Amino acid sequence: MSRLSVYDAKARFSELVDRAQNGRSTTITKRGRVVAKIVPAAAPAWDRAAVLDAAEALRKSLKVARRVNLGKLIDAGRL
């Protein structure tokens, strides 16, 4: 969930509506206090933000020792 000030939310309102359509919530603050939330109208079957956060955490935790050749992985049936 992202946080924006009232001023920034007003300037980026269309983007916030698009984010809500895609299942993302936004918190709006005024002088550092939460005053509103823009949330999706219909709750998705799964929490997209949580999935993206988990994928990012997994990506950061993996260490790749060398370059990966995607063509070889595809030929070997691993992708």
PDB file of all heavy atoms in Angstrom, residues 25-48:
ATOM      1  N   SER A  25      -4.273  -0.656  -2.980  1.00  0.00           N
ATOM      2  CA  SER A  25      -4.844   0.355  -2.092  1.00  0.00           C
ATOM      3  C   SER A  25      -3.878   1.519  -1.945  1.00  0.00           C
ATOM      4  O   SER A  25      -2.673   1.347  -2.058  1.00  0.00           O
ATOM      5  CB  SER A  25      -5.103  -0.241  -0.713  1.00  0.00           C
ATOM      6  OG  SER A  25      -6.004  -1.297  -0.812  1.00  0.00           O
ATOM      7  N   THR A  26      -4.413   2.693  -1.652  1.00  0.00           N
ATOM      8  CA  THR A  26      -3.599   3.882  -1.436  1.00  0.00           C
ATOM      9  C   THR A  26      -4.122   4.615  -0.213  1.00  0.00           C
ATOM     10  O   THR A  26      -5.327   4.796  -0.052  1.00  0.00           O
ATOM     11  CB  THR A  26      -3.668   4.824  -2.658  1.00  0.00           C
ATOM     12  OG1 THR A  26      -3.263   4.109  -3.816  1.00  0.00           O
ATOM     13  CG2 THR A  26      -2.760   6.018  -2.478  1.00  0.00           C
ATOM     14  N   THR A  27      -3.200   5.032   0.653  1.00  0.00           N
ATOM     15  CA  THR A  27      -3.539   5.797   1.833  1.00  0.00           C
ATOM     16  C   THR A  27      -3.224   7.262   1.569  1.00  0.00           C
ATOM     17  O   THR A  27      -2.158   7.586   1.058  1.00  0.00           O
ATOM     18  CB  THR A  27      -2.737   5.304   3.052  1.00  0.00           C
ATOM     19  OG1 THR A  27      -3.033   3.928   3.251  1.00  0.00           O
ATOM     20  CG2 THR A  27      -3.088   6.086   4.293  1.00  0.00           C
ATOM     21  N   ILE A  28      -4.153   8.135   1.931  1.00  0.00           N
ATOM     22  CA  ILE A  28      -3.961   9.576   1.731  1.00  0.00           C
ATOM     23  C   ILE A  28      -3.785  10.220   3.099  1.00  0.00           C
ATOM     24  O   ILE A  28      -4.563   9.967   4.022  1.00  0.00           O
ATOM     25  CB  ILE A  28      -5.161  10.182   0.985  1.00  0.00           C
ATOM     26  CG1 ILE A  28      -5.290   9.509  -0.389  1.00  0.00           C
ATOM     27  CG2 ILE A  28      -4.997  11.686   0.840  1.00  0.00           C
ATOM     28  CD1 ILE A  28      -6.515   9.903  -1.155  1.00  0.00           C
ATOM     29  N   THR A  29      -2.732  11.030   3.206  1.00  0.00           N
ATOM     30  CA  THR A  29      -2.426  11.678   4.474  1.00  0.00           C
ATOM     31  C   THR A  29      -2.533  13.191   4.352  1.00  0.00           C
ATOM     32  O   THR A  29      -2.383  13.753   3.272  1.00  0.00           O
ATOM     33  CB  THR A  29      -1.007  11.323   4.941  1.00  0.00           C
ATOM     34  OG1 THR A  29      -0.064  11.789   3.975  1.00  0.00           O
ATOM     35  CG2 THR A  29      -0.841   9.837   5.125  1.00  0.00           C
ATOM     36  N   LYS A  30      -2.812  13.816   5.482  1.00  0.00           N
ATOM     37  CA  LYS A  30      -2.844  15.275   5.566  1.00  0.00           C
ATOM     38  C   LYS A  30      -2.057  15.651   6.814  1.00  0.00           C
ATOM     39  O   LYS A  30      -2.427  15.249   7.920  1.00  0.00           O
ATOM     40  CB  LYS A  30      -4.284  15.778   5.660  1.00  0.00           C
ATOM     41  CG  LYS A  30      -4.410  17.284   5.604  1.00  0.00           C
ATOM     42  CD  LYS A  30      -5.872  17.680   5.536  1.00  0.00           C
ATOM     43  CE  LYS A  30      -6.013  19.166   5.320  1.00  0.00           C
ATOM     44  NZ  LYS A  30      -7.417  19.549   5.190  1.00  0.00           N
ATOM     45  N   ARG A  31      -0.967  16.348   6.598  1.00  0.00           N
ATOM     46  CA  ARG A  31      -0.065  16.722   7.693  1.00  0.00           C
ATOM     47  C   ARG A  31       0.409  15.506   8.473  1.00  0.00           C
ATOM     48  O   ARG A  31       0.489  15.511   9.701  1.00  0.00           O
ATOM     49  CB  ARG A  31      -0.722  17.728   8.611  1.00  0.00           C
ATOM     50  CG  ARG A  31      -0.998  19.032   7.915  1.00  0.00           C
ATOM     51  CD  ARG A  31      -1.562  20.042   8.860  1.00  0.00           C
ATOM     52  NE  ARG A  31      -1.818  21.281   8.118  1.00  0.00           N
ATOM     53  CZ  ARG A  31      -2.602  22.226   8.544  1.00  0.00           C
ATOM     54  NH1 ARG A  31      -3.205  22.106   9.698  1.00  0.00           N
ATOM     55  NH2 ARG A  31      -2.781  23.307   7.830  1.00  0.00           N
ATOM     56  N   GLY A  32       0.665  14.413   7.747  1.00  0.00           N
ATOM     57  CA  GLY A  32       1.198  13.203   8.365  1.00  0.00           C
ATOM     58  C   GLY A  32       0.177  12.264   8.971  1.00  0.00           C
ATOM     59  O   GLY A  32       0.531  11.176   9.397  1.00  0.00           O
ATOM     60  N   ARG A  33      -1.090  12.646   8.999  1.00  0.00           N
ATOM     61  CA  ARG A  33      -2.139  11.794   9.557  1.00  0.00           C
ATOM     62  C   ARG A  33      -2.964  11.186   8.438  1.00  0.00           C
ATOM     63  O   ARG A  33      -3.289  11.849   7.464  1.00  0.00           O
ATOM     64  CB  ARG A  33      -3.063  12.600  10.456  1.00  0.00           C
ATOM     65  CG  ARG A  33      -2.388  13.106  11.690  1.00  0.00           C
ATOM     66  CD  ARG A  33      -3.416  13.700  12.628  1.00  0.00           C
ATOM     67  NE  ARG A  33      -2.735  14.630  13.512  1.00  0.00           N
ATOM     68  CZ  ARG A  33      -3.230  15.760  13.921  1.00  0.00           C
ATOM     69  NH1 ARG A  33      -4.430  16.136  13.532  1.00  0.00           N
ATOM     70  NH2 ARG A  33      -2.545  16.536  14.723  1.00  0.00           N
ATOM     71  N   VAL A  34      -3.330   9.926   8.608  1.00  0.00           N
ATOM     72  CA  VAL A  34      -4.161   9.242   7.619  1.00  0.00           C
ATOM     73  C   VAL A  34      -5.558   9.852   7.662  1.00  0.00           C
ATOM     74  O   VAL A  34      -6.177   9.942   8.722  1.00  0.00           O
ATOM     75  CB  VAL A  34      -4.232   7.731   7.906  1.00  0.00           C
ATOM     76  CG1 VAL A  34      -5.190   7.051   6.940  1.00  0.00           C
ATOM     77  CG2 VAL A  34      -2.849   7.116   7.810  1.00  0.00           C
ATOM     78  N   VAL A  35      -6.033  10.304   6.479  1.00  0.00           N
ATOM     79  CA  VAL A  35      -7.369  10.898   6.415  1.00  0.00           C
ATOM     80  C   VAL A  35      -8.299  10.145   5.467  1.00  0.00           C
ATOM     81  O   VAL A  35      -9.516  10.288   5.564  1.00  0.00           O
ATOM     82  CB  VAL A  35      -7.303  12.387   5.991  1.00  0.00           C
ATOM     83  CG1 VAL A  35      -6.619  13.213   7.064  1.00  0.00           C
ATOM     84  CG2 VAL A  35      -6.614  12.559   4.662  1.00  0.00           C
ATOM     85  N   ALA A  36      -7.737   9.339   4.553  1.00  0.00           N
ATOM     86  CA  ALA A  36      -8.588   8.612   3.605  1.00  0.00           C
ATOM     87  C   ALA A  36      -7.819   7.441   3.018  1.00  0.00           C
ATOM     88  O   ALA A  36      -6.590   7.401   3.061  1.00  0.00           O
ATOM     89  CB  ALA A  36      -9.051   9.539   2.486  1.00  0.00           C
ATOM     90  N   LYS A  37      -8.586   6.495   2.478  1.00  0.00           N
ATOM     91  CA  LYS A  37      -8.005   5.365   1.759  1.00  0.00           C
ATOM     92  C   LYS A  37      -8.780   5.173   0.469  1.00  0.00           C
ATOM     93  O   LYS A  37     -10.003   5.260   0.460  1.00  0.00           O
ATOM     94  CB  LYS A  37      -8.074   4.082   2.587  1.00  0.00           C
ATOM     95  CG  LYS A  37      -7.168   4.083   3.775  1.00  0.00           C
ATOM     96  CD  LYS A  37      -7.226   2.755   4.492  1.00  0.00           C
ATOM     97  CE  LYS A  37      -6.315   2.796   5.709  1.00  0.00           C
ATOM     98  NZ  LYS A  37      -6.372   1.544   6.449  1.00  0.00           N
ATOM     99  N   ILE A  38      -8.050   4.928  -0.597  1.00  0.00           N
ATOM    100  CA  ILE A  38      -8.673   4.557  -1.869  1.00  0.00           C
ATOM    101  C   ILE A  38      -8.416   3.066  -2.024  1.00  0.00           C
ATOM    102  O   ILE A  38      -7.267   2.632  -2.069  1.00  0.00           O
ATOM    103  CB  ILE A  38      -8.082   5.353  -3.048  1.00  0.00           C
ATOM    104  CG1 ILE A  38      -8.357   6.842  -2.865  1.00  0.00           C
ATOM    105  CG2 ILE A  38      -8.655   4.842  -4.375  1.00  0.00           C
ATOM    106  CD1 ILE A  38      -7.764   7.720  -3.941  1.00  0.00           C
ATOM    107  N   VAL A  39      -9.492   2.305  -2.072  1.00  0.00           N
ATOM    108  CA  VAL A  39      -9.390   0.845  -2.134  1.00  0.00           C
ATOM    109  C   VAL A  39     -10.191   0.334  -3.323  1.00  0.00           C
ATOM    110  O   VAL A  39     -11.098   1.009  -3.809  1.00  0.00           O
ATOM    111  CB  VAL A  39      -9.906   0.193  -0.834  1.00  0.00           C
ATOM    112  CG1 VAL A  39      -9.044   0.592   0.353  1.00  0.00           C
ATOM    113  CG2 VAL A  39     -11.346   0.546  -0.573  1.00  0.00           C
ATOM    114  N   PRO A  40      -9.881  -0.868  -3.795  1.00  0.00           N
ATOM    115  CA  PRO A  40     -10.664  -1.450  -4.893  1.00  0.00           C
ATOM    116  C   PRO A  40     -12.128  -1.650  -4.479  1.00  0.00           C
ATOM    117  O   PRO A  40     -12.412  -1.960  -3.313  1.00  0.00           O
ATOM    118  CB  PRO A  40      -9.987  -2.802  -5.142  1.00  0.00           C
ATOM    119  CG  PRO A  40      -8.650  -2.700  -4.502  1.00  0.00           C
ATOM    120  CD  PRO A  40      -8.773  -1.715  -3.401  1.00  0.00           C
ATOM    121  N   ALA A  41     -13.032  -1.473  -5.424  1.00  0.00           N
ATOM    122  CA  ALA A  41     -14.462  -1.620  -5.135  1.00  0.00           C
ATOM    123  C   ALA A  41     -14.805  -3.070  -4.810  1.00  0.00           C
ATOM    124  O   ALA A  41     -15.539  -3.345  -3.873  1.00  0.00           O
ATOM    125  CB  ALA A  41     -15.289  -1.134  -6.318  1.00  0.00           C
ATOM    126  N   ALA A  42     -14.279  -3.998  -5.565  1.00  0.00           N
ATOM    127  CA  ALA A  42     -14.519  -5.420  -5.327  1.00  0.00           C
ATOM    128  C   ALA A  42     -13.208  -6.054  -4.876  1.00  0.00           C
ATOM    129  O   ALA A  42     -12.173  -5.871  -5.507  1.00  0.00           O
ATOM    130  CB  ALA A  42     -15.012  -6.103  -6.593  1.00  0.00           C
ATOM    131  N   ALA A  43     -13.274  -6.786  -3.779  1.00  0.00           N
ATOM    132  CA  ALA A  43     -12.063  -7.435  -3.272  1.00  0.00           C
ATOM    133  C   ALA A  43     -11.613  -8.528  -4.242  1.00  0.00           C
ATOM    134  O   ALA A  43     -12.434  -9.346  -4.674  1.00  0.00           O
ATOM    135  CB  ALA A  43     -12.329  -8.034  -1.905  1.00  0.00           C
ATOM    136  N   PRO A  44     -10.343  -8.544  -4.618  1.00  0.00           N
ATOM    137  CA  PRO A  44      -9.860  -9.592  -5.511  1.00  0.00           C
ATOM    138  C   PRO A  44      -9.833 -10.938  -4.787  1.00  0.00           C
ATOM    139  O   PRO A  44      -9.839 -10.984  -3.546  1.00  0.00           O
ATOM    140  CB  PRO A  44      -8.450  -9.133  -5.883  1.00  0.00           C
ATOM    141  CG  PRO A  44      -8.031  -8.238  -4.770  1.00  0.00           C
ATOM    142  CD  PRO A  44      -9.291  -7.600  -4.257  1.00  0.00           C
ATOM    143  N   ALA A  45      -9.780 -12.006  -5.558  1.00  0.00           N
ATOM    144  CA  ALA A  45      -9.728 -13.343  -4.978  1.00  0.00           C
ATOM    145  C   ALA A  45      -8.424 -13.561  -4.219  1.00  0.00           C
ATOM    146  O   ALA A  45      -8.350 -14.378  -3.316  1.00  0.00           O
ATOM    147  CB  ALA A  45      -9.890 -14.396  -6.073  1.00  0.00           C
ATOM    148  N   TRP A  46      -7.383 -12.836  -4.565  1.00  0.00           N
ATOM    149  CA  TRP A  46      -6.090 -12.912  -3.883  1.00  0.00           C
ATOM    150  C   TRP A  46      -5.532 -11.509  -3.756  1.00  0.00           C
ATOM    151  O   TRP A  46      -5.899 -10.612  -4.487  1.00  0.00           O
ATOM    152  CB  TRP A  46      -5.130 -13.827  -4.635  1.00  0.00           C
ATOM    153  CG  TRP A  46      -5.082 -13.568  -6.105  1.00  0.00           C
ATOM    154  CD1 TRP A  46      -5.917 -14.062  -7.055  1.00  0.00           C
ATOM    155  CD2 TRP A  46      -4.170 -12.697  -6.795  1.00  0.00           C
ATOM    156  NE1 TRP A  46      -5.579 -13.567  -8.287  1.00  0.00           N
ATOM    157  CE2 TRP A  46      -4.503 -12.733  -8.170  1.00  0.00           C
ATOM    158  CE3 TRP A  46      -3.106 -11.907  -6.399  1.00  0.00           C
ATOM    159  CZ2 TRP A  46      -3.820 -12.006  -9.123  1.00  0.00           C
ATOM    160  CZ3 TRP A  46      -2.422 -11.189  -7.367  1.00  0.00           C
ATOM    161  CH2 TRP A  46      -2.781 -11.255  -8.708  1.00  0.00           C
ATOM    162  N   ASP A  47      -4.662 -11.319  -2.800  1.00  0.00           N
ATOM    163  CA  ASP A  47      -4.086 -10.008  -2.523  1.00  0.00           C
ATOM    164  C   ASP A  47      -2.883  -9.783  -3.437  1.00  0.00           C
ATOM    165  O   ASP A  47      -1.806 -10.318  -3.201  1.00  0.00           O
ATOM    166  CB  ASP A  47      -3.677  -9.909  -1.054  1.00  0.00           C
ATOM    167  CG  ASP A  47      -3.183  -8.527  -0.678  1.00  0.00           C
ATOM    168  OD1 ASP A  47      -3.289  -7.599  -1.511  1.00  0.00           O
ATOM    169  OD2 ASP A  47      -2.703  -8.374   0.455  1.00  0.00           O
ATOM    170  N   ARG A  48      -3.092  -9.014  -4.488  1.00  0.00           N
ATOM    171  CA  ARG A  48      -2.041  -8.782  -5.486  1.00  0.00           C
ATOM    172  C   ARG A  48      -0.812  -8.129  -4.864  1.00  0.00           C
ATOM    173  O   ARG A  48       0.319  -8.495  -5.180  1.00  0.00           O
ATOM    174  CB  ARG A  48      -2.601  -7.905  -6.609  1.00  0.00           C
ATOM    175  CG  ARG A  48      -1.637  -7.685  -7.740  1.00  0.00           C
ATOM    176  CD  ARG A  48      -2.354  -6.989  -8.904  1.00  0.00           C
ATOM    177  NE  ARG A  48      -1.481  -6.907 -10.039  1.00  0.00           N
ATOM    178  CZ  ARG A  48      -0.865  -5.784 -10.413  1.00  0.00           C
ATOM    179  NH1 ARG A  48      -1.042  -4.673  -9.731  1.00  0.00           N
ATOM    180  NH2 ARG A  48      -0.075  -5.782 -11.459  1.00  0.00           N
TER     181      ARG A  48
END
